[in-house]
């Protein structure tokens, strides 16, 4: 087991600069600039978050699954164009060794770790009566245990006053979803995990929250086999009070806020961003 970083930053989170006021860091040196690890950074919310962090002068170590069809170099280029710095690293969140090595890159490359975002996820359709045990276990291993592994590795290296965020879903986090029992169960477990982590790490002033996105136009939701697909999203948009599905950039901005000094008194919460879908009166 790797010991926690013994040269942790003891600055309280409410003493830092806010990305909404200017930039996340005071200077451009590695010692003052904040550093984040983000899993699932090759596409969707993860890629948008890497760019959002770049705009706030937060360096990013972005994780991607080697079998992901999306090119991680696209994320690196987008971050560079936004004026940031990003190291893209293959990581399978099912592997404790790979996740530990992934978190260590932040220390080895940038000298610190301030934020950890567990965004990697798997989405597959499987009716309950047809679901195999290996399908269930794979989903839990990625979408729930992968969050735990990311936070566990990050906690060993994170500076005091840091922040963690995990991405859940309204499927499981709020609603049930037929033919997605395994996905819903994993996503329902994420807020509970975050509450426990928030309490355990509070003495170090490390905050932990869950974000529960609604219907967001990502490669996952555009998958017509395992999710809604383009047509399903268009139909679902009519049920959303804001009359549209969300964009990855909107969830990324929400996550960046939760890890920033502007959210320094928010911890242990599960926060929904869904365009009003879950509070709409049934019609």
């Amino acid at each position: 087991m790797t010991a926690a970083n013994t040269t942790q930053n003891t600055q309280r989170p409410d003493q830092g600069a806010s990305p909404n006021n200017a930039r996340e860091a005071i200077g451009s040196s590695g010692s003052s600039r904040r550093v984040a690890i983000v899993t699932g950074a090759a596409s969707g919310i993860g890629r948008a978050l890497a760019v959002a962090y770049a705009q706030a002068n937060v360096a990013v170590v972005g994780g991607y699954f080697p079998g992901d069809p999306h090119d991680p170099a696209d994320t690196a280029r987008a971050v560079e164009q936004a004026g940031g710095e990003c190291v893209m690293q293959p990581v399978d969140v099912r592997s404790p060794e790979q996740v530990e090595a992934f978190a260590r890159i932040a220390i080895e490359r940038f000298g610190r770790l301030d934020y950890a975002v567990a965004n990697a996820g798997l989405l597959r359709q499987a009716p309950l009566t047809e679901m195999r045990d290996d399908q269930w276990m794979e989903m839990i291993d990625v979408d729930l245990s992968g969050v735990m592994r990311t936070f566990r590795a990050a906690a060993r290296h994170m500076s005091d006053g840091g922040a963690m965020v995990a991405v859940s879903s309204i499927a499981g986090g709020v609603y049930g979803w037929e033919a997605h029992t395994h996905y819903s169960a994993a996503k329902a477990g994420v807020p509970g995990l975050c509450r426990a982590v928030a309490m355990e790490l509070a003495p170090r002033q490390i905050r932990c929250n869950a974000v529960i996105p609604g219907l967001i136009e990502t490669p996952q939701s555009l998958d017509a086999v395992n999710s809604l697909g383009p047509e399903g999203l268009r139909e679902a948009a009519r049920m959303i009070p804001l009359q549209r599905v969300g964009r990855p950039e909107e969830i990324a901005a929400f996550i960046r806020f939760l890890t920033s000094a502007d959210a320094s008194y928010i911890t242990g919460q599960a926060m929904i961003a869904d365009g009003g879908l879950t509070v709409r009166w049934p019609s």
Side-chain angles (χ1 to χ4, degrees), residues 180-202:
H180 292 82
T181 304
H182 49 352
Y183 179 82
S184 298
K187 291 301 187 180
V190 169
L193 188 158
C194 289
R195 293 185 193 106
V197 170
M199 295 303 95
E200 184 169 339
L201 299 183

Side-chain angles (χ1 to χ4, degrees), residues 45-110:
I45 293 169
R47 177 183 293 176
L49 179 59
V51 173
Y53 274 143
Q55 293 166 344
N57 197 29
V58 176
V60 173
V61 179
Y64 65 94
F65 182 62
D68 192 319
H70 304 281
D71 188 356
D74 290 343
T75 298
R77 282 191 291 269
V79 168
E80 183 178 356
Q81 290 170 0
E85 187 172 1
C86 177
V87 176
M88 294 298 291
Q89 173 71 20
V91 60
D92 184 341
V93 297
R94 296 172 296 184
S95 167
E97 295 78 16
Q98 288 190 33
V99 176
E100 173 62 30
F102 171 65
R104 272 202 312 271
I105 291 174
I107 304 301
E108 295 167 356
R109 178 66 180 266
F110 300 108

Side-chain angles (χ1 to χ4, degrees), residues 24-240:
E24 186 75 15
I26 297 172
S28 60
S29 68
S31 61
S32 60
R33 178 175 52 180
R34 303 292 192 265
V35 179
I37 60 172
V38 180
T39 62
S43 64
I45 293 169
R47 177 183 293 176
L49 179 59
V51 173
Y53 274 143
Q55 293 166 344
N57 197 29
V58 176
V60 173
V61 179
Y64 65 94
F65 182 62
D68 192 319
H70 304 281
D71 188 356
D74 290 343
T75 298
R77 282 191 291 269
V79 168
E80 183 178 356
Q81 290 170 0
E85 187 172 1
C86 177
V87 176
M88 294 298 291
Q89 173 71 20
V91 60
D92 184 341
V93 297
R94 296 172 296 184
S95 167
E97 295 78 16
Q98 288 190 33
V99 176
E100 173 62 30
F102 171 65
R104 272 202 312 271
I105 291 174
I107 304 301
E108 295 167 356
R109 178 66 180 266
F110 300 108
R112 61 188 292 162
L113 174 59
D114 301 279
Y115 312 137
V117 180
N119 172 66
L122 180 68
L123 176 60
R124 296 287 184 269
Q125 180 174 230
L128 179 62
T129 55
E130 301 172 15
M131 187 185 303
R132 304 185 310 272
D133 279 12
D134 64 292
Q135 291 175 304
W136 171 273
M137 294 306 299
E138 181 184 35
M139 186 69 67
I140 299 299
D141 206 13
V142 174
D143 287 20
L144 182 57
S145 299
V147 175
M148 180 278 295
R149 294 185 190 104
T150 300
F151 286 172
R152 179 177 63 189
R156 293 168 176 163
H157 302 285
M158 185 169 284
S159 303
D160 288 358
M164 301 179 179
V165 172
V167 179
S168 179
S169 170
I170 58 169
V174 180
Y175 293 131
W177 192 9
E178 64 274 12
H180 292 82
T181 304
H182 49 352
Y183 179 82
S184 298
K187 291 301 187 180
V190 169
L193 188 158
C194 289
R195 293 185 193 106
V197 170
M199 295 303 95
E200 184 169 339
L201 299 183
R204 292 173 54 190
Q205 299 296 304
I206 292 175
R207 299 176 296 102
C208 183
N209 294 287
V211 167
I212 303 178
L215 298 173
I216 311 300
E217 188 172 337
T218 66
Q220 273 195 352
S221 65
L222 290 169
D223 178 356
V225 174
N226 295 294
S227 188
L228 297 180
E231 182 60 32
L233 283 178
R234 283 192 291 271
E235 288 294 319
R238 296 193 290 192
M239 298 293 294
I240 299 172

